Every structure is written in C-alpha cells, then in structure tokens.
RNA sequence: GGGCGUAUAGCUCAGCGGUAGAGCACUCGGCUUACAACCGAGCGGUCGCAGGUUCGAUCCCUGCUGCGCCCACCA
C-alpha cells in the first residue's frame, strides 16, 4: 500500500493508477481536523475577517437533505472567501433549546415534567418507554434534555464532517448552553431596563395542548372544518321596530356557538341599516339569558354571515379589538386546559342561565359546542341546521388543536407592532442589508408591515432559558409584578426557580413577605435572535466580538425571515444600533420529485448520511450548489450522479495531465516565468478562455451566486477535456518537438491548477486529493485563481486572434468527429486524406491549428482548399479520404 | 383579499432585445493507452395565452391563466 500523501509534505508525485472517490471523505476530513485547516485566527482585524452567523440546526429535528442543501451553499461561500484571503469566522451552533427538545425527550424516554416534584438524583428509567409517561422533576427532565441533545449533536457533527463543512469546530455553541443563556438573559434585562421589554396581562393566543402562550410568528393558518350556526338573540320588550325579525329576534351567525356564554356584545357596521335601530339597545342571549349591548364598529363586515357578529371574550383577534376599543365587559369561559371553566362568568346570573352553564362546565371546547347546539335546538333558538364550511383557523405551528385566546400575564418585547415609528425604523434597517436574492426583502417588509402586536416572549414550558426575574411577595404572598427583583448581570446565567435574590434567604421563597421566581422560560427565538452575539462572544469575549461583529453573512431559509431574521435584526437594532450583518443569503427548500415539500410522513425523506455514503459528498454538494440561490429545488439523485461524474472526471483528467511527465513538472506554477514556456497560440488561447471563466466565476461568487460560479467552472472544464486536451494530446506526448510539448504540458498544468481551485469550494474532497498529488498545503488554503496568473495582459493582447484559433480548432475537430460518426467509423480510424474547405479570412486560422487538428483527428494528409464550403455538411467519402466542409 | 416568485426539449433547469442552450432520457456509433461508472454523433422546442413597445420580443410593458410560496381580523 502506498501511504497517502500529507498536505504539508513535499509534493509527493503520487499518482494513483486508478483514482477513486471512495474513502476521500474520511481521509481528508481527518487531515483537515488534525492540521486545523479551517481554524479561525483571532488575531485578524475586522477588515480581514469574513464572519458567518451560522444557522444552528434544531438538533431534535430529524436529519434531512434540506440541511445538506443549504449548509453546502454557505460552505461554498466560506471556502471562496477563505481562498480570497479572508480569515473566515465560521462556527457551528446547535439549537437544542425549547419545545422541540422537550417533546423529543418526552417521547424518547417516556417521561413528563412535573415541576412540583423534588429532584431525584438516582432516577432510573426503564429501557423501553412505557405506555404511561413517568412524571419527573424539572431538574431530572432538563438533565435528560441535555443527555439526548448530546447524542443528537454528535449525529449532526458526523454529518457535517462527512459533508465537508469548513467549520472551526472549536467554536461550537449550543443555544441552551451557559454562554447562550447568559447572553439571552443579559439582552433581555437590557431590553427591560430600556423599556423595550415589559410585562402585561392581556388576551393571549394560547395552545391548549402545550398549555403555553405562543407568538404571532409561530402561528399558521390551517383549513379547518366548522359550521355556521344561525342563533337567535331576543330583543328586549315588545319592540315594534319594523326591521327586526317578526318574532322580535336578532339572528347572528357563528362558527363558535360554544362561546355563547362568553358573549359580551353584538357588533354591526355603523352604516348597516338593518341594525342601526338596535345600536344602543340591548338584547338577551339565548340559553344564558344575559343582557347584551348592540354596538357599532367599522371592523364589522356587512356581507359576512348575518352582518352582525357575536363578540365573545375571546373567540378571535377581532373580538379582542372590539373588546379593547369598545370597552366591553369580560366573560372568559376558556381555561388554560382548553376546557370550559367551572365558574360561570359575571353577568350570567339567571337560574336558567346558570343551569345551562353547569352542563358545559369542564367540557372540552369540542364537546361544549355539541352541547350548546343541542340546548339551542331544544329551546328553538337555533334556526335551521348548521351549515358545514371549511375556513382558515389559527394553529400553533407545532400544535394540533386550534388556538384559544386566554387572558394571561406575559412578557413582551416591543417590535413595532404597536409603534409606527419603530416599525419605520425596522423597515429602514431592512434596506441596510444586501439580500440574496434581492426579492426576498419583500418578505421582510410584508412581515414588519403586518405585525399586529408586540413580541410575546414568555412561554409556560420547562426546557429553555428562564426569564431572569424574581417578584417580591406581599403579606398575602401575592407577587408584586410592578416591581420585579432584577438580578445583576454578573450573576448570569441564573435560574430564578433555584437562585435566591440578594437580601433574601432561600427559605423566603413563596412565603408572605418573601419572593417568587418567574416560572416561565423564554421563547426559543428570544435566544436564537442573539446568535451573532452568542457566537461572537458578546459580553464574555469583547475582543473577539469586535473582530467579527457586525457579521458579513446570515445564511438562512426563507420561511424563517419572519422569525429568525426579523428577531435578530430587532435585537441588534436595540443593542448595537446597527444591522447584525451586511448580507442575508436566503436558501430555498428541497422539494421531493413531485414538487411537494419533503415530509417525513410521506416516507420520501432520504437520510442524508446514506446519500453521502452512496454517491459521495462531492456529488451531493454539486447537486446543492447547482441550485440557484433562493430557489426551491427538487431532490434529484440524477443531478448528484452528474456531480459524481464531474468529480471522477476531475480525478482522471488530473491524472492524465500530471502523468504526462515528471521531468518538466514545475515546482511552483505560481511563478509567472512558467508562462513563458507557453509558446503555442492554441495553448495561450485556452488560457485566455480560462482566464475569462475565472473572472466570471469570481464576479458570480462576489455576488453570492455560487451556482453561476460552479456553472462557469464546469462549462470550461468539459470544454477543456473534450476539446483542448484531445487537440493537444499528441503534441504533449512530444511528437512535434520538445518546445511544442513543453508549451502544451505547461498550459495543461497551469489550467489544471487553476481549475482545481475553481472547483475547491464545491468539490472539496476530489480537489484536495488531486492537489495533494503535486502541490504543497491544502487547496483550501491556497489562493483563489486570477486572470493574471493565466497570462493576464499577455493573453488579452492576442485574444482576438487566439480565441478565434481555439474556436476554429474546435469546429474542425467537431466536423471530423461528425464525419467519422456519420461514416460509422471509430474515432481512432486513421484517415488517409482530408480536404478542409475554408474561406479566405479563416484560412490562416485553419493552417495555424492544422497540426493539432490533424493529430487529434488522425488525418495522415490534409489539404486546405481556399473557397467557401460546397452545399451541405461534411461529406464522408470513405476510410481513405475525408472531405470536411466548414462554414468559417 | 394583498404580495412575491415562476411558466423554455419527455424530465431537471440555464439563458437572452438580434439564427433557441446544457444535463438526464432516447437513437446510432465506438473498449480511441486519463476516464466503458467512458467517448463521439444525433433526435427533440409556436420559449404558458392575448395584446402592446420595437426595424426586430422567448427576453421589455400590460392583461389573463396555471403552479409554488409569503402575508391577511378565523364573527
């Protein structure tokens, strides 16, 4: 066995007989780690650094080809910037914070967190989770969270290593780690101290399954079946208003009849003449017999339902608006558990009403609806049958039941949703970013313009960053929320449920005159919105932070512009008064081949590790990098096979070029004197074309268009292999003299050296393998190719003539191939005589390349005839004579 | 309801104010000493529809249609 070469050793002249992609991932990822090829040099200044605000993957989610897709894009950019001479700050983060982890731990271990239980240091769980979830303490629970996320993080790291991400693994962070918790709590406290964070008791969108508040950014609309119910309210007295129904009733239509006991008003549009006579009067609700005012509000829609709506506390956000703006009563009936609360609301005082209510108390919303419909039918207040409809209903994105609105005390961060001036500032911040692709900015603008309230950041969950606040308790042990006890920044991270505020004794917890900790944790985005600060060492390593912040690039997917991008920008706006990055690179999604979003449930998810093992990382990276920025892309193994073919071709072509001879192998091709060996016009023409491809790829990369950079490199490479290499092959063997051979070999080597570097960001393994055969160091620390090193001005001055030459030669060899193909001859068939027709203008070109063309086409004798080609195309005359007609 | 994107070969996608491109698939030919997991040649398109601007439109403008996505107060 031949020892694999080491990148720091002398060029090894090691050329495998049969180059292969197998094993390159393990070999080179190991070498890179060992030699710290991607380690960040923190002595560099901000100007010298290119910093990336890595998206920390949710480790409790499944590994998905979508991950491979978008992280490859970022890695290609990182590698390009590194080769351009930037010191790339490219850490990895793990998002192990929040509900995703909680849920995974519950299912994986079969446990459930009960914060009232004491910690059990000797907890032993059954090997297989049982049917019944085991209740454990909060501390035990979070320990299991830590334990499981460690496993998940390992799986991700293995994947990333195999994919070849050029991450500095010594700088990894986790969003629930101590550093992240400290940053998150510090930023929150500063928001609080500046008045950007506040606490309020207000109607809140509430998930009854997870029993937590959720934020606007976590909502999604889903089509949900429901039904219109036409319900009669009773007008007071013997009203003689002609517009009332003849039976003195007012009909409303609702999809939420179960909220009838929560009704606080009927609302119609001020200009709706059907109801104007009722404004200012009251009606009585059916079943519950509560006196209900009829009021006017512009938000009521004349042509929706009956045109008059039942306003409940709270059925939807319009109800909240009406309740606020019209100063209506409050009759909450939905409890935290999603069931009808036991006590009837105020105002529900009649005996009949209380009896009706008693039949609902404790029921789920679903059952309560059936019961109310039953009662209304019996009382004759339901007109007709419910009419089924499907309408959009708000869900928590991770939830399975429609959201309710429950009044709770929560923490908020101002986000412009209630403040036009702040909103305008944030919109302006959006313009300070370079968006790639630029139209993605519209999504940001839409989101900011559509915000309808401040950002609710508290969550009634267990695993996450605690809200760092205590509250003094009064003589009745009730918390004084208006005067929280704020911890010192030096004490962060802290947990108010186990830490004791200064001046108190742990035994004062929960006692009159004592203190209580805030029981809630923060929304996962409240921490993730600080990834530039976490990764950069804000507050703990200000020296590092100054060298990396604001960052250059935020890569992310488009669906989290409203969450991650927006919230990060908001926090940076508050804390640093600037945008957190210069560029936002937005990736698309992976769709399955049917153009649907890939989903686990459909069984079409491919495990990325298996893909990498089967096709090779370079192949999969090629597929990812072929997708235009921001574009949703079909999962396509065909494209990966194309990438694999490219990588194999690169190995083989390199082997050929490097195998042409050791004697004149230049030790340092960066030495421009090598260029003087390139004497043949055809060789210079090729280098000139390559120089243009290099320029095009560079411009594309600088504009974050990695796919175009790859396309240009690839386009040139196939042309190089199929035409140039074939044309100069025999000359390179030395059949036309040493100088001509040296010209070809040097050009081939210069071209190979440049092309390996063009491909390095995309095919890091194959390019590194080839680089190691003949160059020092890692290709990934070499410099990005330039037009200058390929001849620059020298080539450019002759460009007109020489690119014409290359075109002529390519056309000629193509015509010869076609002639042979039409004659059903092997390409190696020797042709005794060929006639090449040409115009006067092109004749010099033809004659200049005739030697290479004749050799490549295996033409023994050629004749050039100076006249336009006869009609038709190439005419194969036979094995011993070939007429090649050209339109030149 | 508002917005963004998109529509090009059987499939996946580039492109561009001036004679329509690539890969895959398909057909034919070739084991040509870098590569048969390869090479060569070929077949294949009213550039979604309708108008407009222009000497000229696949490209620019307007409208329409299909698809995808984002957003929107769910009575």
């Amino acid at each position: 066995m031949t020892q694999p070469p080491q990148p720091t050793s002398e060029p090894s002249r090691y050329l495998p007989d049969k180059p292969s992609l197998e094993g390159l991932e393990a070999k080179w990822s190991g070498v890179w780690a060992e030699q710290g090829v991607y380690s960040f040099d923190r002595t560099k200044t901000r100007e010298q650094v290119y910093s990336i605000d890595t998206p920390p993957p949710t480790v409790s989610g499944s590994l998905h080809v979508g991950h491979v897709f978008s992280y490859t894009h970022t890695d290609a950019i990182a590698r390009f910037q590194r080769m351009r001479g930037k010191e790339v700050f490219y850490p990895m983060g793990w998002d192990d914070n929040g509900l995703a982890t909680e849920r995974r731990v519950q299912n994986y271990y079969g446990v459930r967190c009960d914060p009232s239980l004491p910690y059990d240091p000797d907890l032993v769980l059954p090997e297989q989770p049982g049917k019944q979830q085991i209740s454990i303490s909060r501390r035990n629970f979070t320990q299991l969270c830590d334990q499981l996320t460690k496993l998940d993080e390992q799986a991700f790291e293995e994947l990333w290593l195999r994919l070849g991400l050029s991450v500095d693994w010594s700088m990894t962070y986790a969003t629930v780690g101590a550093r992240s918790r400290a940053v998150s709590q510090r930023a929150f406290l500063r928001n609080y101290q500046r008045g950007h964070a506040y606490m309020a008791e207000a109607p809140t969108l509430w998930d009854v399954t997870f029993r937590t508040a959720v934020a606007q950014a976590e909502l999604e609309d889903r089509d949900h079946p429901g039904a219109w119910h036409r319900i009669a309210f009773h007008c007071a007295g013997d009203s003689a208003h002609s517009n009332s129904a003849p039976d003195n009733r007012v009909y409303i239509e609702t999809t939420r009849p179960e909220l009838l006991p929560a009704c606080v008003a009927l609302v119609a549009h001020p200009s709706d003449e059907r109801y104007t006579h009722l404004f200012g009067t009251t009606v009585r609700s059916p079943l519950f017999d509560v006196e209900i005012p009829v009021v006017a509000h512009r938000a009521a829609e004349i042509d929706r339902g009956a045109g008059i709506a039942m306003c409940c506390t709270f059925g939807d956000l319009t109800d909240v608006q009406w309740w606020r703006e019209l100063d209506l009563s409050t009759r909450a009936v939905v409890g935290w558990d999603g069931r009808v609360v036991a006590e009837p609301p105020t105002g529900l005082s009649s005996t009949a009403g209380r009896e009706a209510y008693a039949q609902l108390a404790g029921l789920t919303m679903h059952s309560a609806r059936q019961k109310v419909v039953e009662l209304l039918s019996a009382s004759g207040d339901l007109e007709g049958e419910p009419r089924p409809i499907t309408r959009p209903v708000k869900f928590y994105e991770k939830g399975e039941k429609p959201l309710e609105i429950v009044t709770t005390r929560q923490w908020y961060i101002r986000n412009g949703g209630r403040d036009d001036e702040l909103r305008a500032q944030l919109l302006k911040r959006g313009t300070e970013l370079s968006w790639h692709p630029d139209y993605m900015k519209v999504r940001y603008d839409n989101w900011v313009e559509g915000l309808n309230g401040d950002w609710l950041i508290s969550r009634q969950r267990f695993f996450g960053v605690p809200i760092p606040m205590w509250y003094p308790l009064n003589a009745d042990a009730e918390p004084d929320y208006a005067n929280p006890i704020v911890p010192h920044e030096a004490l962060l991270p802290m947990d108010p449920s186990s830490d004791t505020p200064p001046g108190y004794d742990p035994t004062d917890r929960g006692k009159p005159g004592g203190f209580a900790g805030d029981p809630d944790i923060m929304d996962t985005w409240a921490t993730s919105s600080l990834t530039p600060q976490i990764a950069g060492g804000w507050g703990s390593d200000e020296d590092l932070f100054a060298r990396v912040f604001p960052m250059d690039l935020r890569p992310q997917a488009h669906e989290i512009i409203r969450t991650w991008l927006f919230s990060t920008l908001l926090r940076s706006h508050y804390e640093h008064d600037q945008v957190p990055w210069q560029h936002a690179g937005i990736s698309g999604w992976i769709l399955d081949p049917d153009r649907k979003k890939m989903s686990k449930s459909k069984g079409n998810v491919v495990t990325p590790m298996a893909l990498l093992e089967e096709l090779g990382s370079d192949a999969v990276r090629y597929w990812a990098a072929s997708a235009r920025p921001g574009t949703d892309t079909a999962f396509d193994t065909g494209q990966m096979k194309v990438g694999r073919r490219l990588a194999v071709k690169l190995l083989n072509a390199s082997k050929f070029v490097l195998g042409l001879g050791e004697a004149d192998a230049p030790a340092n091709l960066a030495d421009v004197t090598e260029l003087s060996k390139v004497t043949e016009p055809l060789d210079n023409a090729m280098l000139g074309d390559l120089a243009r491809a290099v320029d095009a790829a560079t411009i594309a990369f600088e504009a974050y268009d990695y796919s175009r950079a790859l396309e240009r490199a690839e386009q040139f490479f196939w042309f190089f292999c199929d035409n140039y290499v074939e044309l100069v092959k025999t000359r390179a063997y030395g059949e036309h003299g040493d100088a001509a051979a040296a010209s070809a070999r040097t050009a081939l080597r210069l071209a190979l050296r440049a092309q390996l570097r063009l491909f390095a960001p995309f095919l890091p393994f194959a390019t590194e393998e080839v680089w190691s055969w003949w160059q020092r160091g890692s290709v990934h620390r070499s410099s990005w190719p330039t037009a200058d090193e390929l001849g620059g001005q020298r080539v450019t001055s002759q460009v007109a003539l020489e690119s014409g030459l290359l075109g002529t030669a390519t056309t000629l060899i193509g015509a010869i191939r076609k002639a042979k193909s039409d004659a059903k001859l092997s390409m190696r068939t020797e042709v005794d005589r060929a006639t090449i027709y040409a115009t006067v203008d092109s004749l010099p070109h033809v004659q200049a390349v005739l030697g290479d063309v004749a050799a490549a086409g295996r033409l023994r004798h050629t004749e050039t005839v100076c006249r336009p080609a006869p009609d038709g195309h190439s005419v194969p005359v036979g094995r011993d004579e070939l007429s090649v007609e050209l339109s030149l």
Side-chain angles (χ1 to χ4, degrees), chain A residues 44-364:
Chain A
K44 294 290 189 344
T45 65
R46 181 65 196 82
E47 290 67 38
Q48 296 168 313
V49 166
Y50 185 88
S51 47
I52 300 172
D53 183 19
T54 310
T58 304
V59 291
S60 300
S62 56
L63 290 167
H64 189 285
V65 283
H67 287 118
V68 166
F69 181 69
S70 53
Y71 281 81
T72 297
H73 301 157
T74 307
D75 186 59
I77 289 165
R79 289 178 182 276
F80 168 72
Q81 293 289 346
R82 192 178 290 112
M83 293 174 76
R84 289 282 271 178
K86 292 284 191 178
E87 189 61 28
V88 175
F89 180 69
Y90 186 18
M92 185 51 62
W94 306 125
D95 189 8
D96 42 15
N97 185 9
L99 196 51
T101 299
E102 260 192 53
R103 285 205 301 177
R104 183 158 148 73
V105 166
Q106 284 177 356
N107 297 333
Y108 191 91
Y109 295 108
V111 296
R112 178 166 84 76
C113 179
D114 182 347
S116 65
L117 293 175
Y119 175 61
D120 175 4
D122 303 317
L123 178 71
V124 178
L125 293 168
E127 285 196 14
Q128 294 292 323
K131 274 188 184 168
Q132 203 66 23
Q133 288 186 332
I134 300 167
S135 291
I136 60 175
S137 73
R138 176 168 169 157
R139 191 165 158 194
N140 283 118
F141 189 84
T142 56
Q143 278 179 354
L144 290 177
C145 289
D146 285 337
Q147 192 175 317
L148 189 57
T149 54
K150 286 283 177 299
L151 285 175
D152 292 330
E153 286 160 14
Q154 265 173 26
F156 264 94
E157 184 167 341
E158 278 168 31
L159 181 69
W160 291 156
L161 285 171
R162 184 163 188 108
L163 183 62
L165 296 191
S166 59
V167 159
D168 181 342
W169 287 98
S170 71
M171 312 197 81
T172 304
Y173 65 90
T175 56
V176 83
R179 184 156 52 112
S180 299
R181 293 202 308 273
V183 166
S184 182
Q185 292 182 331
R186 183 185 306 116
F188 169 79
L189 290 178
R190 291 189 181 193
N191 289 146
Y192 170 73
Q193 278 145 2
R194 295 192 196 106
H196 299 141
Y198 63 91
M199 179 191 263
E201 182 162 16
T204 306
L205 285 163
W206 186 268
D207 186 285
V208 299
T209 309
F210 294 105
R211 299 184 189 178
T212 182
V214 302
Q216 186 184 355
E218 295 169 298
L219 305 183
E220 65 184 33
D221 284 356
R222 292 185 203 158
D223 279 338
H224 197 65
W228 283 111
H229 300 76
R230 190 169 165 87
I231 298 175
F233 280 63
H234 304 261
C235 296
D238 53 349
S239 167
H241 293 298
S242 56
N243 287 346
S244 300
D247 54 358
N248 233 5
R249 293 172 161 201
V250 181
Y251 287 92
I252 60 99
E253 297 201 46
T254 181
T255 58
R256 302 283 311 265
E258 70 277 17
L259 292 180
L260 195 55
C263 180
V264 292
L266 299 190
V267 189
H269 195 274
S271 69
D272 191 337
E273 291 179 0
R274 293 172 294 177
Y275 302 111
T276 41
H277 67 282
L278 291 172
F279 296 147
T281 69
T282 61
V283 294
R284 298 198 80 84
S285 58
L287 303 185
F288 304 102
D289 195 32
V290 176
E291 187 171 6
I292 308 285
V294 182
V295 294
H297 192 276
R298 64 189 185 288
E301 290 175 48
I302 291 171
D303 52 2
R304 186 182 194 113
I308 186 163
M310 163 175 95
C311 174
C312 307
T313 53
F314 298 96
D316 62 26
L317 294 174
T318 310
D319 287 345
V320 178
Q321 183 189 3
W322 285 331
W323 172 77
R324 275 209 184 98
E325 296 184 10
L326 300 170
D327 198 21
L328 301 171
S329 321
T330 306
R331 293 196 184 101
V333 299
V334 184
W336 289 22
D337 53 2
R339 291 172 183 271
V340 178
V341 295
E343 280 301 305
T346 52
L348 210 166
S349 47
S350 74
T351 311
R354 295 182 81 90
E355 278 173 9
Y357 188 88
Q359 298 188 59
L360 304 180
L363 296 182
T364 64

Side-chain angles (χ1 to χ4, degrees), chain A residues 610-746:
Chain A
L611 259 190
L612 297 182
E613 282 167 359
E614 186 192 338
L615 294 165
S617 295
D618 283 348
V620 178
R621 289 174 62 107
Y622 171 88
W623 159 74
S626 303
R628 298 217 111 58
T631 309
D632 292 346
T633 302
F635 175 76
D636 182 4
T637 51
Q639 193 67 5
M640 297 175 197
K641 286 173 183 163
V642 172
R644 183 174 176 87
R645 211 166 59 106
L646 173 66
V648 170
K649 186 82 173 176
L650 196 60
L651 295 180
N652 282 317
S654 301
K655 183 197 157 197
F656 169 73
V657 168
L658 298 175
L660 280 170
E662 299 297 322
D664 63 342
N668 181 7
L669 275 168
D671 179 355
V672 289
T673 62
E674 288 300 323
L675 270 170
S676 65
K677 290 185 186 165
V678 182
T679 53
E680 294 288 315
L682 196 68
D683 301 335
N684 272 320
M686 180 277 292
L687 292 180
D689 276 7
L690 175 53
R692 279 187 290 280
V694 166
D695 281 342
T698 307
I699 288 166
F701 248 135
E702 281 174 342
Y704 289 80
D705 193 348
Y706 44 80
S707 63
R708 184 173 303 275
L710 171 58
E711 184 190 291
R712 292 308 300 255
E714 189 188 8
Q715 191 185 346
F716 181 84
F717 177 66
W718 286 107
F719 170 84
F720 172 82
C721 291
D722 295 346
N723 294 304
Y724 176 76
V725 169
E726 294 303 323
L727 279 164
V728 304
K729 207 178 233 180
T730 52
R731 179 154 57 83
Y733 287 144
E735 294 179 15
H736 305 288
D738 290 347
S743 176
R745 292 185 194 182
T746 306

Side-chain angles (χ1 to χ4, degrees), chain A residues 247-475:
Chain A
D247 54 358
N248 233 5
R249 293 172 161 201
V250 181
Y251 287 92
I252 60 99
E253 297 201 46
T254 181
T255 58
R256 302 283 311 265
E258 70 277 17
L259 292 180
L260 195 55
C263 180
V264 292
L266 299 190
V267 189
H269 195 274
S271 69
D272 191 337
E273 291 179 0
R274 293 172 294 177
Y275 302 111
T276 41
H277 67 282
L278 291 172
F279 296 147
T281 69
T282 61
V283 294
R284 298 198 80 84
S285 58
L287 303 185
F288 304 102
D289 195 32
V290 176
E291 187 171 6
I292 308 285
V294 182
V295 294
H297 192 276
R298 64 189 185 288
E301 290 175 48
I302 291 171
D303 52 2
R304 186 182 194 113
I308 186 163
M310 163 175 95
C311 174
C312 307
T313 53
F314 298 96
D316 62 26
L317 294 174
T318 310
D319 287 345
V320 178
Q321 183 189 3
W322 285 331
W323 172 77
R324 275 209 184 98
E325 296 184 10
L326 300 170
D327 198 21
L328 301 171
S329 321
T330 306
R331 293 196 184 101
V333 299
V334 184
W336 289 22
D337 53 2
R339 291 172 183 271
V340 178
V341 295
E343 280 301 305
T346 52
L348 210 166
S349 47
S350 74
T351 311
R354 295 182 81 90
E355 278 173 9
Y357 188 88
Q359 298 188 59
L360 304 180
L363 296 182
T364 64
M365 286 297 119
H366 184 75
S367 306
R369 179 176 307 177
Q370 290 176 336
K371 176 58 77 178
V372 169
V373 168
E374 193 184 299
L375 295 173
L376 284 170
S377 294
S379 71
D381 291 308
L382 180 69
E383 190 190 81
E385 286 296 307
R387 302 192 311 281
I389 55 158
T390 301
R391 81 280 192 225
V393 175
K394 286 199 186 311
F395 280 74
Y396 176 38
E397 58 189 357
K398 297 186 174 74
E400 280 155 19
K401 286 188 178 173
L403 292 174
E404 296 293 345
I405 296 175
V406 176
T407 297
T408 51
R409 181 173 296 278
Q410 304 284 350
W411 280 98
Y412 296 83
I413 291 180
R414 299 182 200 280
N415 65 359
R418 296 165 174 243
D419 178 346
D420 288 341
E421 195 187 325
L422 176 57
R423 194 191 301 262
Q425 287 171 8
L426 292 169
L427 284 169
K428 181 166 175 301
R429 289 294 185 202
T431 67
E432 294 169 22
L433 274 181
S434 294
W435 297 78
H436 308 285
D438 56 2
Y439 59 79
M440 288 294 180
K441 176 176 177 292
V442 177
R443 298 199 182 199
Y444 173 83
D445 293 343
N446 279 350
W447 176 251
V448 176
E449 284 160 5
L451 286 167
N452 58 24
D454 284 331
W455 176 17
L456 195 165
I457 63 156
S458 44
R459 295 290 181 277
Q460 291 67 54
R461 301 300 304 177
F462 317 111
F463 188 65
V465 179
I467 303 256
M469 291 283 186
W470 298 278
Y471 307 102
L473 299 180
N474 67 12

